[in-house]
């Protein structure tokens, strides 16, 4: 594994590890429709790379609520909900 692979992770994979959606393809679809922001920039590319410290804007429930999370860790695998909660810090949820 290269240094780049250890310091960054695909956005769709990270969202799946963080349990934003049940399936990785659902995470990719969410990104492709422009519902996710990385550091205030809209992205439509599931392969976008995120790093520790990046701030994500995610759609909340009920809409038009927004969740703002800071990435605090990258994940090797999808774990339990409590493991997923260690991947991010909630900045704002409304």
């Amino acid at each position: 594994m290269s240094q780049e692979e250890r310091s960054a992770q695909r956005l769709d994979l990270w969202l799946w590890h963080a349990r934003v959606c049940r399936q990785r393809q659902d995470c990719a679809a969410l990104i492709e429709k422009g519902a996710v922001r990385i550091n205030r920039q809209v992205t439509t590319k599931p392969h976008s790379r995120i790093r520790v410290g990046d701030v994500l804007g995610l759609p909340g429930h009920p809409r038009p609520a927004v969740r703002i999370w800071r990435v605090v860790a990258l994940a090797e695998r999808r774990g339990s909900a409590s493991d997923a909660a260690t991947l991010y810090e909630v900045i704002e949820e409304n």
Side-chain angles (χ1 to χ4, degrees), residues 6 11 13 16 18 23 31 34 70 89:
R6 283 185 292 236
L11 177 58
L13 184 60
W16 183 63
Q23 296 181 3
I31 298 162
R70 182 182 332 277
E89 168 190 9

Side-chain angles (χ1 to χ4, degrees), residues 8-65:
Q9 189 167 37
R10 281 180 62 113
L11 177 58
D12 62 339
L13 184 60
W14 188 89
L15 291 175
W16 183 63
H17 287 169
R19 295 184 167 264
V20 171
C21 298
R22 287 182 183 221
Q23 296 181 3
R24 185 173 171 187
Q25 62 205 29
D26 295 335
C27 293
L30 188 68
I31 298 162
E32 288 170 348
K33 68 180 185 180
V36 178
R37 293 175 180 255
I38 302 173
N39 299 323
R40 296 186 177 189
Q41 299 295 312
V42 174
T43 185
T44 57
K45 298 177 182 177
H47 63 271
S48 296
R49 308 297 276 180
I50 61 166
R51 292 168 179 73
V52 171
D54 283 347
V55 175
L56 303 179
L58 305 163
H61 300 285
R63 294 195 181 193

Side-chain angles (χ1 to χ4, degrees), residues 51-93:
R51 292 168 179 73
V52 171
D54 283 347
V55 175
L56 303 179
L58 305 163
H61 300 285
R63 294 195 181 193
V66 177
R67 295 180 283 175
I68 308 295
W69 292 355
R70 182 182 332 277
V71 177
V72 296
L74 303 177
E76 299 262 336
R77 63 179 187 84
R78 189 170 197 229
S80 67
S82 59
D83 290 343
T86 65
L87 299 178
Y88 59 87
E89 168 190 9
V90 176
I91 296 175
E92 183 178 334
E93 274 193 52

